Amino acid sequence: MIEYEAASAEVRAVYDDIMATRGTDWVNNFWKALAHDPVTLRRTWESVKQVMAPGALDALTKEMLYVAISATNGCAYCIASHTVAARKAGMTDAMFAELMAVVGMANETNRLANGYQVEIDERFRAG
Amino acid sequence: MIEYEAASAEVRAVYDDIMATRGTDWVNNFWKALAHDPVTLRRTWESVKQVMAPGALDALTKEMLYVAISATNGCAYCIASHTVAARKAGMTDAMFAELMAVVGMANETNRLANGYQVEIDERFRAG
Amino acid sequence: MIEYEAASAEVRAVYDDIMATRGTDWVNNFWKALAHDPVTLRRTWESVKQVMAPGALDALTKEMLYVAISATNGCAYCIASHTVAARKAGMTDAMFAELMAVVGMANETNRLANGYQVEIDERFRAG
Amino acid sequence: MIEYEAASAEVRAVYDDIMATRGTDWVNNFWKALAHDPVTLRRTWESVKQVMAPGALDALTKEMLYVAISATNGCAYCIASHTVAARKAGMTDAMFAELMAVVGMANETNRLANGYQVEIDERFRAG
Amino acid sequence: MIEYEAASAEVRAVYDDIMATRGTDWVNNFWKALAHDPVTLRRTWESVKQVMAPGALDALTKEMLYVAISATNGCAYCIASHTVAARKAGMTDAMFAELMAVVGMANETNRLANGYQVEIDERFRAG
Amino acid sequence: MIEYEAASAEVRAVYDDIMATRGTDWVNNFWKALAHDPVTLRRTWESVKQVMAPGALDALTKEMLYVAISATNGCAYCIASHTVAARKAGMTDAMFAELMAVVGMANETNRLANGYQVEIDERFRAG
């Protein structure tokens, strides 16, 4: 991992923008690992910054979506980091509990739909 | 698939509850396929009804989570049905666009975290 | 897909063994697609034949495992073909219903364990 | 995680039922983590108890299905806990070896079917 | 899907760049679907253009990686489109056959490593 | 895990072939875990040896495909071992960086194609 002190000016510029955007004074390991490839570091950060900014969906909803997807994929790093981010964005214990319940249920019914080979309803195709 | 007319009283009771809960006059194929197993039909419906009811998270957020997970898993039936449900719950075109952007981004960074073998930050463990 | 009539002697030998092993007079599309690569065709068939033969686990259990995995992965072809194979091996409607219930439940609790970041119990590590 | 001593009466009732059903004097971490959400704890336990009870399929087959799905999804917690449960239900070394062989093979052929874009045989559709 | 004739200037600019970069006179459905969200359309196209351009890895290798990942995930659209792209970039029948063999094998051994709970070798950690 | 000293002649023969084929004097944990099942050990090693041998695709390309699939599936053991193998086969830092960028992008667009329910273009079907 590339620490701030050891980083090139190019990488530092991204680190500075991460900290400024998030209002923090540290950078998490994900970016320090990506920093070995400054091109991917910049592209990924610019994309994440754009995608996660509040818009039609607020920041909390976006972080909870991230947690849901990461739990579905089993990415331990992403579950840990985005659960913290979601809590920081306002996720309460009750919200986390319901989030997990939906994640579990969706993963269950996804497989029931697969296994029962359910045909898509005409009305859903029109949707 | 088991249609209402051909269903047992036990299955009809679930179908009736689905239609009453959703305020619709039809039942989608997923439940008609599950109806071959009335025990799983009832258990799954009771669970879905409980999990998807508004609580700490509203119905729209829950439907969008369902879409995100279904797109991640590639369940065509679930993507089609829950996208319609999310739209019915108020998802606009702009919200769908941002939802998809988060789904794409999370699936991307999940794999970057995997591939770069990023260690979980101490601060995230404490979270 | 390569039909029997158009197949090389090498491919025909595999087709013949598939039909003899299964006691059928036809070969399903999976093998006809693989036949473009006779080396993979032979290796895959020899492996499948060895792995799916009754041993410590009977043929029905093995076919149900195949259905469970295929439903988890969302492989439509494999779900369709192995559900037929499992029924041929003796899977009843009641067994299929319970199989699907386990598939759904395991996919649900897998994600709950992920999302809640559950630490492995010492006793399970010893296992 | 919520230990028995610190648990509410509601949570203790579930813990007691888990131990009574399994004939054990301890509760594993999965349930202690879920206990932060007593509603999901109860619903999940009731569902697992119902689904995993012997019926048309015996307990051992169900535990092996759980292991197969957990290995496919890469859920480390679930692999560890259900492998122990399967062994307790009677899985021998030879059965585990064949189970793993099927898991590997199914995950392989699922992707070959995907990658070769194999069309579902008419006979399998009728199934 | 948004056809060229119905597209805004902003969307047409992306379509024009897609066709110019690829040396084609048509745009595939993926981009026409994304065009409902011009921001994601542009960001995704710019990222894909950057990532897929020949560099330390040539275009053919990159397309084959795309096919491998799409087959692993079971994304039918992506398998179809990137298999065509890989062939256009020079993938022969023999290369496709070996690609598929690796995809199958990696998906198999990934699950064997999971199921056998194999600990990472010290030498691989140093890597 | 079964060490060389404790291995049967049958298992030692596979270990010897692994070391000879790779030009190393050690065997990694994956094979030592599989050695509990000599039949699967032999079948898997013979398959891996055949599939990973240079042919229409060179060894480096095959190892990078393995890394891409393992990162997509989130198999920590396989990511660690095949990243080392790919570096040994000649993967530079720049190649690894581009490999990861493709892995991330493919996983992203796979889900966008799913979520937008993109229909396969006629031209890709012909492919």
Side-chain angles (χ1 to χ4, degrees), chain A residues 71-72 74 79-80 83 96-97 100 103-105 107-108 111-112 114-117, chain C residues 71-72 74 79-80 83 96-97 100 103-105 107-108 111-112 114-117:
Chain A
T72 297
I79 293 166
T83 299
F96 176 71
M100 282 298 110
V103 168
M105 192 56 48
N107 273 288
E108 175 168 5
R111 274 57 181 222
L112 292 174
N114 288 345
Y116 276 95
Q117 304 179 52
Chain C
T72 297
I79 294 165
T83 299
F96 176 72
M100 282 299 110
V103 168
M105 191 56 49
N107 273 288
E108 175 170 4
R111 272 60 181 220
L112 291 174
N114 288 345
Y116 276 94
Q117 304 180 51

Side-chain angles (χ1 to χ4, degrees), chain B residues 71-74 79-80 83 96-97 100-101 103-105 107-108 111-112 114-117, chain F residues 71-74 79-80 83 96-97 100-101 103-105 107-108 111-112 114-117:
Chain B
T72 296
N73 286 329
I79 293 165
T83 299
F96 176 71
M100 282 300 110
V103 167
M105 191 56 48
N107 273 289
E108 176 170 5
R111 272 59 180 219
L112 292 175
N114 288 344
Y116 276 95
Q117 304 180 55
Chain F
T72 297
N73 286 330
I79 293 165
T83 299
F96 177 71
M100 282 300 110
V103 168
M105 192 56 47
N107 273 288
E108 175 169 5
R111 273 57 181 222
L112 291 175
N114 288 344
Y116 276 94
Q117 304 179 53

Side-chain angles (χ1 to χ4, degrees), chain D residues 117, chain E residues 70 74-81, chain F residues 114 120:
Chain D
Q117 305 181 52
Chain E
S70 302
C75 175
Y77 184 85
C78 315
I79 293 165
S81 61
Chain F
N114 288 344
I120 299 179

Side-chain angles (χ1 to χ4, degrees), chain F:
Chain F
M1 291 188 297
I2 296 180
E3 300 297 333
Y4 192 90
E5 294 68 30
S8 65
E10 183 182 10
V11 166
R12 280 191 187 189
V14 176
Y15 286 4
D16 286 339
D17 194 40
I18 290 172
M19 292 186 285
T21 304
R22 293 180 169 173
T24 59
D25 62 352
W26 69 295
V27 169
N28 57 305
N29 290 345
F30 178 74
W31 304 108
K32 292 184 193 164
L34 278 194
H36 287 282
D37 175 15
V39 174
T40 296
L41 174 69
R42 174 159 292 288
R43 181 176 49 74
T44 306
W45 166 246
E46 294 293 349
S47 294
V48 165
K49 186 167 71 162
Q50 182 186 319
V51 167
M52 298 303 283
L57 300 179
D58 56 68
L60 171 56
T61 299
K62 289 182 173 186
E63 285 295 346
M64 289 193 299
L65 287 165
Y66 233 100
V67 172
I69 292 161
S70 302
T72 297
N73 286 330
C75 176
Y77 184 85
C78 315
I79 293 165
S81 61
H82 286 280
T83 299
V84 170
R87 288 198 179 277
K88 205 172 140 189
M91 181 176 70
T92 63
D93 287 350
M95 293 165 96
F96 177 71
E98 293 194 13
L99 167 62
M100 282 300 110
V102 175
V103 168
M105 192 56 47
N107 273 288
E108 175 169 5
T109 60
N110 276 201
R111 273 57 181 222
L112 291 175
N114 288 344
Y116 276 94
Q117 304 179 53
V118 186
E119 201 182 349
I120 299 179
D121 304 71
E122 204 50 52
R123 301 196 198 199
F124 293 153
R125 293 192 184 278

Side-chain angles (χ1 to χ4, degrees), chain D residues 1-116:
Chain D
M1 290 186 298
I2 296 180
E3 300 297 333
Y4 192 90
E5 294 67 31
S8 66
E10 185 182 10
V11 167
R12 280 190 186 189
V14 177
Y15 285 5
D16 287 339
D17 194 40
I18 290 172
M19 292 186 284
T21 302
R22 294 179 167 176
T24 59
D25 62 352
W26 69 295
V27 170
N28 57 306
N29 289 345
F30 178 74
W31 305 107
K32 292 184 193 163
L34 277 194
H36 287 282
D37 175 15
V39 174
T40 296
L41 174 70
R42 174 160 291 287
R43 180 176 52 73
T44 305
W45 166 246
E46 294 293 349
S47 293
V48 165
K49 185 166 72 163
Q50 182 186 318
V51 167
M52 298 304 283
L57 300 179
D58 57 68
L60 172 55
T61 300
K62 289 184 173 185
E63 286 295 346
M64 289 192 300
L65 287 165
Y66 233 102
V67 172
I69 293 160
S70 303
T72 297
N73 285 330
C75 176
Y77 184 86
C78 314
I79 293 165
S81 61
H82 285 279
T83 300
V84 169
R87 289 199 178 277
K88 203 172 143 189
M91 181 175 69
T92 62
D93 287 352
M95 293 165 95
F96 176 71
E98 295 195 12
L99 168 60
M100 281 301 110
V102 176
V103 168
M105 192 55 48
N107 273 288
E108 175 169 6
T109 59
N110 277 200
R111 273 58 181 221
L112 292 174
N114 289 345
Y116 276 94

